[in-house]
Amino acid sequence: MSAPPVVPDRASPSVPALRDLPLRAARERRRVPRAVRRTLVVVALLVLWQVLAEIGVLTPDTLSSPLDTIRTAGDMFASGDLDTALLTSLQRAATGLALGVPVGLVLALASGLLRLGEDVIDSPMQMLRTLPFLGITPLLILWFGIGDTPKIALVFLGVCFPVYVNTLVGIRNVDARLVEAARTFGAGRWSVIRSVVLPGALPNILVGLRLALGIAWLALVVGEQISSDGGIGSLMLQAQDNLRTDRIVVCLVIYALLGLISDLVVRVLERVLLTWRQGLEAS
Amino acid sequence: MTSLLPGTDQVPETTSPPLAVDARDIRRRFGEREILRGVDLQVRPGEFLALLGASGSGKTTLLKILGGLDREAQGQVRVPARVSIAFQEPRLLPWQRAWRNVAFGLRGPDVRARATEALREVGLAHLADQWPKTLSGGEAQRVALARALVRDPDLLLLDEPLAALDALTRLRMQRLIADLCARRGLTAILVTHDVDEAVTLADRAVVLREGALAHEIPVDLARPRDPSGPAFGTHRDQLLSWLGVQDPTTDLPEEKTP
Ligand SMILES: Nc1ncnc2c1ncn2[C@@H]1O[C@H](COP(=O)(O)OP(=O)(O)OP(=O)(O)O)[C@@H](O)[C@H]1O
Ligand SMILES: [Mg+2]
């Protein structure tokens, strides 16, 4: 039997200062005023804008007032100008997205899942990605002339890359230990892709989709201002020629709304597809 | 050495007994560090083996090799076709509800029923529809255990499957594992740091140390085993001393850095 180890005397404990952690009750008091505060700022800015217009600081040929803009929007709807342009733009955006998103996805899958795919696809994609795609516009006009095609091509190019890059990041970040586990339980290659890789990459794919939607509108703004053949962009081009700032502002608001709606769509998609992430109970 | 099997003639010396695991001279290095330096391991069909060893001694590494998840290792390994693993971390698919995780890879018409039954056995039938992220650590571990147990494997590899459980649940799960293995005649290898758990469950316990199976002890105690019995205590003390644990009042051995 060896001697028991020497136990040192206990030092007297140092007394730490305590602090409050902000828990629910404390936070809630501030939440409501915050939402109100944000809305108030927006409303105040609009009012300021209107006032500046009323007192003549902002003349209509600089920037139309909010009220004028609303009036103009009503006129444009009534005359059917806006509907037609909106429809044209929507169609172009949808076509570009419908082509660009799947292509970006497929390329990313091929490059993320196959060694050969990575070697063949990734470096050209990374090279092209550094090219500012809007700079290709002159080439697209030379190739496709005017009309729908160059606009759709521009949307396609703008959409393809964010989807590709984000999907690839998602695939690369899939937890290898989950793949290992799936293999253990008898999953073949395809089953691993379907039940582990794709769901694991989904959050990033949706990020790519959100970026893609934003870029789709941007590409359209630029593409449609090339020539006057329909769409919100060419409506703006005409308004510019006629010095109609009110019409320009209406078009800008439409773009903003389209962006907002696309964002909302992706948010809803995220809510539905990624319930597991927040641990929300989908009942 | 020859043995007589009941009802048969003397077995010729050339025939080796059937094995569920036959691993010879397994070596595995990570960079400069050789973690496994010639592990020999034979497990009989239906045998329950406990694998002990200090943290970082290579137990998980060995289990992964046996599970066919490590193709970089050297040596000869023969294992059955259907191997099932309960990993040290639960490794549940976060995007599938608990029961779907249990059912992963199962085929047949009654998959949901089988998964639910397996969850009931680990005491979690009421959480079948929950997302893995909302499970507690111990619950997630039990779901992973259910996933390993539900698929009648020929070899069951358990890597500290009960480490996150409270004392009572742990006892229940030990009983469940013992029952299942006995009922289905499963071959199992259990990695554990809990010496009592090893002696309770195993037919044989081995200790991994310095890259090889350094010690081995058969546990021929009648079941169910009573941890307060003297024979149990002998086994426990033997294993503890191999693991370097002695009288709590003495100085601990220095930690070795290989
Ligand atoms: N992929 C790897 N790359 C580098 N080193 C590794 C790798 N996997 C394991 N190791 C090392 O091998 C050693 C053994 O690891 P292993 O996970 O097998 O330990 P263990 O016995 O299971 O420990 P514990 O009881 O803590 O789980 C550790 O020192 C670890 O750092
Ligand atoms: Mg381990």
Side-chain angles (χ1 to χ4, degrees):
Chain A
M1 208 50 206
S2 57
V6 187
V7 180
D9 286 337
R10 267 176 171 263
S12 59
S14 60
V15 182
L18 303 185
R19 68 194 173 96
D20 277 325
L21 292 181
L23 299 184
R24 177 152 204 151
R27 267 201 336 237
E28 206 133 281
R29 239 173 289 136
R30 268 174 34 201
R31 188 173 285 168
V32 179
R34 220 176 148 201
V36 174
R37 206 159 57 196
R38 284 168 175 233
T39 331
L40 277 181
V41 172
V42 176
V43 172
L45 282 176
L46 283 174
V47 169
L48 179 69
W49 180 3
Q50 183 67 37
V51 169
L52 288 179
E54 298 282 344
I55 61 177
V57 176
L58 281 177
T59 51
D61 43 349
T62 315
L63 198 61
S64 70
S65 73
L67 290 179
D68 280 347
T69 308
I70 293 174
R71 221 168 291 135
T72 310
D75 295 345
M76 287 167 81
F77 262 117
S79 70
D81 285 1
L82 206 52
D83 309 23
T84 326
L86 194 57
L87 205 65
T88 312
S89 286
L90 277 175
Q91 258 164 11
R92 288 169 177 166
T95 316
L97 281 165
L99 293 171
V101 172
V103 167
L105 264 177
V106 168
L107 287 177
L109 289 178
S111 161
L113 300 174
L114 307 169
R115 185 142 303 160
L116 178 69
E118 180 172 5
D119 294 346
V120 174
I121 296 168
D122 198 49
S123 41
M125 283 301 272
Q126 298 299 344
M127 262 167 53
L128 286 177
R129 193 169 69 90
T130 59
L131 213 72
F133 75 99
L134 291 176
I136 307 177
T137 319
L139 264 187
L140 292 178
I141 296 174
L142 286 181
W143 292 345
F144 302 115
I146 52 171
D148 284 343
T149 322
K151 284 103 186 158
I152 293 173
L154 210 54
V155 174
F156 170 86
L157 283 176
V159 159
C160 204
F161 291 98
V163 172
Y164 173 82
V165 171
N166 283 283
T167 305
L168 198 56
V169 167
I171 293 176
R172 297 237 166 100
N173 284 347
V174 167
D175 190 347
R177 294 174 311 167
L178 292 182
V179 174
E180 211 175 64
R183 288 231 175 89
T184 310
F185 298 118
R189 194 182 167 76
W190 171 238
S191 168
V192 167
I193 293 172
R194 192 169 41 85
S195 49
V196 185
V197 176
L198 287 182
L202 194 56
N204 289 87
I205 296 178
L206 288 175
V207 169
L209 189 63
R210 178 183 283 190
L211 286 174
L213 283 171
I215 290 177
W217 298 120
L218 181 69
L220 262 195
V221 178
V222 174
E224 289 183 341
Q225 290 187 19
I226 302 166
S227 54
S228 301
D229 44 8
I232 305 281
S234 75
L235 215 56
M236 276 174 89
L237 201 62
Q238 287 164 17
Q240 181 199 328
D241 290 343
N242 303 333
L243 306 177
R244 294 286 302 272
T245 58
D246 53 343
R247 290 186 141 233
I248 294 183
V249 173
V250 170
C251 291
L252 287 176
V253 171
I254 297 279
Y255 274 131
L257 287 179
L258 287 174
L260 213 66
I261 292 171
S262 349
D263 229 46
L264 214 69
V265 168
V266 181
R267 257 174 227 270
V268 169
L269 269 181
E270 278 178 349
R271 268 210 108 92
V272 174
L273 294 176
L274 304 180
T275 20
W276 53 269
R277 215 163 47 156
Q278 299 99 1
L280 292 178
E281 277 297 79
S283 47
Chain B
M1 193 180 68
T2 55
S3 62
L4 282 171
L5 293 182
T8 61
D9 290 335
Q10 189 174 347
V11 178
E13 276 184 1
T14 46
T15 334
S16 44
L19 290 174
V21 175
D22 188 6
R24 288 171 199 274
D25 197 29
I26 301 184
R27 294 172 179 276
R28 180 63 162 111
R29 54 164 59 247
F30 296 109
E32 288 299 288
R33 301 166 56 213
E34 192 166 31
I35 301 299
L36 301 180
R37 312 172 189 176
V39 171
D40 286 297
L41 180 63
Q42 280 79 38
V43 185
R44 283 178 282 105
E47 187 177 12
F48 197 117
L49 181 84
L51 174 61
L52 295 100
S55 176
S57 57
K59 305 180 296 297
T60 299
T61 306
L62 177 57
L63 225 55
K64 275 193 196 164
I65 294 171
L66 297 180
L69 294 174
D70 184 353
R71 298 289 153 92
E72 300 294 307
Q74 296 178 312
Q76 286 98 47
V77 182
R78 292 166 52 76
V79 289
R82 288 179 310 154
V83 178
S84 171
I85 308 183
F87 295 94
Q88 194 164 359
E89 333 81 49
R91 299 199 189 185
L92 302 175
L93 298 178
W95 40 86
Q96 300 205 334
R97 293 177 191 274
W99 78 267
R100 280 207 176 275
N101 265 288
V102 174
F104 187 88
L106 292 186
R107 265 169 265 269
D110 53 347
V111 161
R112 165 121 216 197
R114 281 167 69 196
T116 315
E117 172 60 17
L119 279 171
R120 199 190 54 71
E121 285 181 327
V122 297
L124 293 179
H126 59 296
L127 301 183
D129 283 320
Q130 213 149 311
W131 298 110
K133 294 231 160 141
T134 67
L135 297 171
S136 79
E139 286 164 353
Q141 221 179 16
R142 276 186 282 161
V143 172
L145 180 62
R147 178 176 63 178
L149 296 180
V150 76
R151 53 200 78 235
D152 277 316
D154 298 316
L155 174 63
L156 183 59
L157 303 175
L158 303 169
D159 198 348
E160 299 184 41
L162 311 181
L165 302 182
D166 65 276
L168 178 61
T169 314
R170 180 187 295 227
L171 282 180
R172 284 208 188 107
M173 292 304 107
Q174 287 175 0
R175 216 165 276 178
L176 170 70
I177 293 173
D179 280 358
L180 274 175
C181 289
R183 218 172 339 125
R184 301 184 195 161
L186 291 183
T187 312
I189 300 180
L190 169 78
V191 171
T192 180
H193 287 298
D194 181 346
V195 171
D196 275 25
E197 185 170 291
V199 182
T200 305
L201 292 174
D203 300 312
R204 180 162 59 115
V206 292
V207 176
L208 183 61
R209 190 167 157 190
E210 282 162 22
L213 296 182
H215 307 284
E216 158 168 5
I217 186 174
V219 189
D220 323 297
L221 306 177
R223 296 169 195 263
R225 293 170 178 168
D226 172 17
S228 57
F232 197 104
T234 322
H235 285 82
R236 177 200 290 134
D237 292 346
Q238 179 64 76
L239 284 171
L240 283 174
S241 83
W242 282 336
L243 292 167
V245 187
Q246 281 128 18
D247 191 323
T249 54
T250 60
D251 285 333
L252 294 176
E254 285 293 314
E255 191 170 351
K256 262 205 249 169
T257 38

